[in-house]
Amino acid sequence: MYRVFEALDELVAIVEEARGIPPTRSCIVPRGDVLELLDDVRDALPGELDDAQDVLDHRDKIVGDARTGAEATVTSANEQASTTIEKARAEADRILADAKAHADRMVAEATTHADRLVATAQAEADQVIADGNAEYDELTGRAQIDADRAIQAGKDSYERSVADGKAEQARLVAQTEVVRAAHAESARLIDGAQAESDRVRAECDDYVDEQMADFDGKLAALGETLATARRTITRGRQHMRGGPAPEYPEYAADHRR
């Protein structure tokens, strides 16, 4: 680069010392010296300047090629992105359809299980109610029969006692000396018959009360069984909504006990 500046200085000096051509501003310079200095300047310039000039000359072509390549890259990227999005959308739709089908199967299975639990609980509850009603009817009928029999026996005993008393009274009326004794005996017999009738009636009432108390206890047990079945049905419905289900129904365990 030093030779470049030196040659330029020499060119400037030649031009300044050249003889002018009046009346113009032109001058006469030695052609050979100027050409030699210009060759020295050309030789002294680095090759990178020439390459840079070539780059500048081909700048528009390089920029155009780069723009074309960038547009092609963007187009390819857009196409690839569209393809990827479509594949992702199709995969998402497939996964969503599988999840919905799985959820529908789970809901159907839970509904079937809950219906089976409800049907089982209802059948057992109906059976328990039927057994309780049958036992109640049997106990009530037997108690009524026993009560009627006891009352009838009391009435028969009372009527026999009254009839015996009246017969004895009639027999003793004819005897003046034993009239008072006859009246007393008649009253005693009537009182005894009345007391016997009251005793038989009280025993019948006690028996009926005892049978009714036993039936009330069985009705309470039936109510507890129905309450347990209701809790089991409620748990079954909760399990159908997502909660845990017991491995062995509580109402079945109570019923087996």
Side-chain angles (χ1 to χ4, degrees):
M1 289 300 293
Y2 175 76
R3 178 57 187 156
V4 173
F5 293 112
E6 185 179 13
L8 290 177
D9 291 338
E10 292 178 3
L11 286 174
V12 171
I14 291 173
V15 173
E16 289 178 349
E17 295 175 358
R19 185 174 58 185
I21 302 175
T24 65
R25 295 178 58 84
S26 298
C27 65
I28 298 174
V29 295
R31 179 181 297 174
D33 295 339
V34 172
L35 292 176
E36 184 179 356
L37 291 173
L38 290 175
D39 289 337
D40 291 340
V41 171
R42 182 183 293 120
D43 293 337
L45 289 174
E48 288 80 0
L49 292 177
D50 187 50
D51 294 339
Q53 184 62 43
D54 292 340
V55 172
L56 291 175
D57 293 340
H58 294 82
R59 179 183 59 185
D60 295 338
K61 182 177 181 302
I62 294 173
V63 171
D65 292 343
R67 182 179 291 110
T68 301
E71 291 177 354
T73 301
V74 171
T75 302
S76 177
N78 289 333
E79 292 177 354
Q80 186 175 2
S82 299
T83 303
T84 303
I85 291 173
E86 290 297 329
K87 290 181 179 179
R89 183 178 291 112
E91 183 66 16
D93 293 339
R94 185 186 65 79
I95 293 174
L96 180 61
D98 292 342
K100 186 176 183 302
H102 183 65
D104 292 338
R105 286 195 301 271
M106 290 182 64
V107 170
E109 291 175 358
T111 302
T112 302
H113 182 65
D115 293 340
R116 186 165 57 252
L117 288 176
V118 171
T120 302
Q122 186 64 41
E124 293 195 3
D126 293 340
Q127 184 61 39
V128 171
I129 292 174
D131 294 341
N133 290 332
E135 187 173 0
Y136 171 77
D137 293 339
E138 181 181 357
L139 290 174
T140 303
R142 188 165 58 248
Q144 186 64 40
I145 292 173
D146 293 340
D148 293 341
R149 184 183 300 112
I151 292 172
Q152 186 62 40
K155 288 182 178 180
D156 293 341
S157 177
Y158 172 75
E159 290 176 355
R160 284 195 303 271
S161 298
V162 171
D164 292 341
K166 289 182 177 180
E168 184 67 17
Q169 182 182 12
R171 187 181 63 83
L172 294 176
V173 165
Q175 301 176 5
T176 305
E177 65 278 8
V178 292
V179 170
R180 184 175 301 174
H183 281 291
E185 183 64 17
S186 176
R188 185 184 66 78
L189 292 175
I190 292 173
D191 292 340
Q194 185 65 42
E196 181 66 17
S197 177
D198 292 340
R199 185 185 65 78
V200 172
R201 185 182 297 274
E203 290 179 354
C204 291
D205 292 338
D206 292 339
Y207 177 77
V208 171
D209 291 340
E210 181 181 355
Q211 294 298 322
M212 292 302 295
D214 182 49
F215 179 73
D216 289 339
K218 291 184 178 181
L219 282 181
L222 175 61
E224 183 178 359
T225 301
L226 291 178
T228 303
R230 182 177 300 170
R231 289 195 299 272
T232 301
I233 293 172
T234 301
R235 283 197 296 271
R237 292 178 177 173
Q238 291 176 352
H239 169 63
M240 185 175 64
R241 296 171 184 159
E247 297 180 355
Y248 190 75
E250 181 182 353
Y251 66 86
D254 293 340
H255 181 68
R256 291 187 175 185
R257 288 199 299 268

